[in-house]
């Protein structure tokens, strides 16, 4: 934080606790620490919303026994609404978890590389989301598409999932 005059500083909860509002105990302390130590007094603090794990994965069941992917997603949304949005000092939320969930509707449960982390397709979509949320420039203005057949085939779907997450 002290190394550069950042314009935006992002924080997030570890994914294994992201659907558990009672695990957000130190959120206000972290926000206060960032505000006390940032070198750019105008720097914004953004919350990066994580995504739910692949449905039925061993990771999901070991951390959230009996939960489905949708249960985990709803828990993440609840934690953001009850803990993040009520905290003092969060300037905006980057709704990556919602974008991923939106993309799963038309594309299936294909967003993960290893049950937890995102694959290149989802990374591209979340990158678009971050770009628009931070810069204010419409992600549809981005014409670059990686040399990836799945991304190229689904570019419109990925952009729509990100735009829908930004709007709700």
């Amino acid at each position: 934080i002290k190394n550069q005059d950042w314009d935006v500083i992002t924080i997030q909860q570890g994914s294994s606790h992201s659907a558990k509002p009672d695990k957000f105990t130190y959120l206000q302390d972290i926000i206060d620490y960032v505000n006390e130590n940032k070198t750019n007094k105008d720097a914004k603090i953004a919350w990066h919303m994580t995504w739910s794990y692949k449905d039925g994965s061993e990771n999901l069941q070991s951390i959230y026994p009996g939960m489905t992917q949708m249960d985990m997603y709803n828990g993440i949304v609840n934690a953001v609404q009850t803990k993040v949005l009520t905290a003092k000092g969060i300037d905006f939320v980057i709704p990556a978890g919602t974008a991923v969930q939106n993309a799963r509707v038309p594309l299936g449960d294909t967003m993960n590389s290893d049950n937890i982390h995102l694959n290149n397709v989802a990374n591209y979509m979340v990158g678009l989301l971050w770009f628009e949320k931070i810069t204010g420039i419409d992600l549809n203005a981005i014409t670059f598409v990686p040399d990836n057949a799945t991304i190229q085939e689904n570019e419109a779907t990925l952009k729509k999932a990100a735009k829908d997450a930004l709007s709700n």
Side-chain angles (χ1 to χ4, degrees):
I1 294 170
K2 295 178 181 180
N3 189 31
Q4 294 190 27
D5 290 337
W6 302 106
D7 294 323
V8 177
I9 298 167
T10 63
I11 58 176
Q12 72 178 63
Q13 177 60 285
S15 65
S16 63
H17 296 306
S18 62
K20 299 176 180 178
D22 62 319
K23 297 291 187 179
F24 284 62
T25 312
Y26 298 104
L27 176 58
Q28 194 60 56
D29 294 331
I30 293 167
I31 295 166
D32 293 344
Y33 177 85
V34 170
N35 278 320
E36 291 166 10
N37 290 281
K38 63 186 181 182
T39 58
N40 174 1
K41 66 178 179 62
D42 296 322
K44 304 288 186 207
I45 300 176
W47 180 264
H48 170 67
M49 175 191 190
T50 58
W51 47 87
S52 55
Y53 295 165
K54 187 169 182 161
D55 209 12
S57 71
E58 181 180 310
N59 303 88
L60 178 62
Q61 293 310 305
S62 68
I63 295 170
Y64 298 102
M67 277 193 169
T68 65
Q69 177 188 88
M70 187 56 76
D71 293 334
M72 184 179 177
Y73 170 70
N74 288 332
I76 293 167
V77 170
N78 178 53
V80 169
Q81 290 173 338
T82 62
K83 298 299 182 176
V84 177
L85 295 178
T86 60
K88 294 178 181 166
I90 298 288
D91 294 294
F92 58 93
V93 173
I94 301 171
T98 297
V100 169
Q101 205 64 31
N102 290 346
R104 284 175 168 150
V105 174
L107 300 178
D109 199 4
T110 61
M111 299 289 105
N112 300 91
S113 62
D114 64 356
N115 298 328
I116 297 174
H117 301 98
L118 298 181
N119 62 23
N120 289 338
V121 174
N123 282 331
Y124 171 73
M125 177 187 63
V126 171
L128 294 172
L129 178 82
W130 273 63
F131 177 80
E132 180 168 327
K133 193 66 182 182
I134 292 172
T135 67
I137 299 170
D138 189 319
L139 64 84
N140 286 311
I142 297 172
T143 58
F144 171 77
V145 180
D147 186 18
N148 176 304
T150 305
I151 293 173
Q152 291 172 353
E153 290 170 18
N154 296 293
E155 178 188 10
T157 299
L158 296 169
K159 285 184 173 182
K160 181 176 180 348
K163 288 297 273 187
D164 288 350
L166 289 166
S167 68
N168 186 15

